[in-house]
C-alpha cells in the first residue's frame, strides 16, 4: 500500500500539471491570437491561469496533493489565493485598457454578453474572500464563523468561474477547457463532501467521549 502511494504521488502532480498546462498550451496555439494586441492576450491568459488556480485551491485544502503537510497545504492555499487575486486584477485591468466601455457594461451588469455577469460575480466573491482572510485575525473570526462565510463564497467562485469560462468563445480550446472546468467542479464537490463528513465524524467522536 505504501509503495502504491509512493508511486501514485508523482502521477497526481503530473495530472495536475497537464490539467492546467494543456488548456494554456492550447490557447497559446489559437489562431485568434494573431488578431489580438499584447495587453488583451495578457488579460486572457491571466484569466486562464486564474481558472487553473481555482482548481488548485480545493486540492490543497482537502489535502489531496501528496508530499505536503497540513501546515504547508494551508500556507500554499493562502499564497495561491493571493496569486488568484493578482491574476484577476491583471485580467480585469487588461480588458479595461483594451475596451473600457465593455468593462463598464460588465461591471454594471448591463453587458449583452451572457458570460459577463458570472465572471463579475465570481470576481467580487474572490475579492470578498481575500478581504475576509486579511481581516480574519483583526476581527477575531472563529473557525466556524470563517467556514460559514468562506464556503458559500467559494461555491460562488467555482460556479461563477466555470460558467463564465464555458460561455466564452475565445482562445481556449473547447475540449481542454471543458475538462478543466469539470475538474474544478469535481475537486470542489469532493472537498466539500469530505470536509462535511470529517466534521460529522469529529462531532460523533466528541459526543461519544462526552458520554463516556
Amino acid at each position: 500500500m505504501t509503495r502504491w502511494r509512493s508511486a501514485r504521488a508523482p502521477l497526481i502532480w503530473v495530472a495536475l500539471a497537464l490539467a492546467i498546462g494543456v488548456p494554456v498550451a492550447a490557447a497559446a496555439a489559437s489562431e485568434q491570437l494573431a488578431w489580438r494586441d499584447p495587453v488583451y492576450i495578457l488579460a486572457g491568459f491571466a484569466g486562464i491561469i486564474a481558472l487553473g488556480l481555482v482548481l488548485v485551491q480545493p486540492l490543497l485544502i482537502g489535502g489531496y496533493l501528496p508530499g505536503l503537510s497540513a501546515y504547508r497545504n494551508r500556507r500554499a492555499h493562502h499564497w495561491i489565493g493571493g496569486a488568484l487575486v493578482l491574476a484577476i486584477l491583471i485580467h480585469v485591468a487588461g480588458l479595461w485598457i483594451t475596451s473600457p466601455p465593455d468593462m463598464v457594461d460588465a461591471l454594471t451588469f448591463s453587458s449583452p454578453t451572457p458570460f459577463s455577469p458570472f465572471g463579475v460575480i465570481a470576481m467580487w466573491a474572490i475579492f470578498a474572500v481575500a478581504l475576509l482572510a486579511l481581516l480574519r485575525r483583526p476581527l477575531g473570526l472563529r473557525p466556524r464563523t470563517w467556514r460559514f462565510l468562506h464556503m458559500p463564497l467559494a461555491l460562488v467562485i467555482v460556479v461563477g468561474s466555470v460558467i463564465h469560462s464555458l460561455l466564452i468563445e475565445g482562445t481556449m480550446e473547447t475540449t481542454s477547457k471543458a475538462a478543466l472546468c469539470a475538474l474544478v467542479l469535481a475537486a470542489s464537490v469532493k472537498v466539500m463532501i469530505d470536509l462535511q463528513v470529517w466534521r460529522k465524524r469529529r462531532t460523533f467522536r466528541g459526543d461519544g467521549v462526552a458520554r463516556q
Side-chain angles (χ1 to χ4, degrees), residues 11-195:
L11 297 178
I12 294 176
W13 284 105
V14 170
L16 177 60
L18 290 175
I20 299 174
V22 170
V24 172
S30 173
E31 297 179 354
Q32 296 187 32
L33 295 181
W35 294 276
R36 306 293 190 183
D37 60 66
V39 176
Y40 189 93
I41 293 174
L42 176 63
F45 276 91
I48 300 172
I49 295 299
L51 182 62
L53 296 178
V54 173
L55 170 62
V56 177
Q57 288 295 67
L59 297 178
L60 286 170
I61 206 65
Y64 306 135
L65 297 178
L68 298 177
S69 64
Y71 173 77
R72 288 183 177 180
N73 273 318
R74 289 193 300 270
R75 295 301 300 169
H77 185 76
H78 295 160
W79 282 105
I80 294 295
L84 177 57
V85 171
L86 178 60
I88 294 300
L89 288 174
I90 295 173
H91 181 64
V92 173
L95 295 178
W96 182 279
I97 293 172
T98 55
S99 183
D102 289 339
M103 282 306 302
V104 171
D105 288 344
L107 293 173
T108 56
F109 296 98
S110 57
S111 174
T113 55
F115 57 80
S116 293
F118 295 100
V120 172
I121 291 171
M123 177 192 73
W124 288 121
I126 290 170
F127 291 163
V129 170
L131 183 61
L132 282 173
L134 289 175
L135 298 178
R136 182 179 178 181
R137 288 186 177 179
L139 293 177
L141 296 179
R142 297 180 178 180
R144 180 177 296 181
T145 304
W146 165 251
R147 289 193 299 267
F148 179 79
L149 297 172
H150 182 30
M151 293 302 288
L153 288 171
L155 184 61
V156 171
I157 292 170
V158 169
V159 174
S161 300
V162 166
I163 297 177
H164 177 70
S165 301
L166 291 176
L167 291 178
I168 294 178
E169 295 181 3
T171 57
M172 289 191 76
E173 189 270 330
T174 304
T175 302
S176 60
K177 176 175 66 173
L180 178 56
C181 289
L183 289 173
V184 169
L185 288 175
S188 302
V189 170
K190 178 172 174 54
V191 72
M192 288 181 181
I193 292 175
D194 288 353
L195 290 178

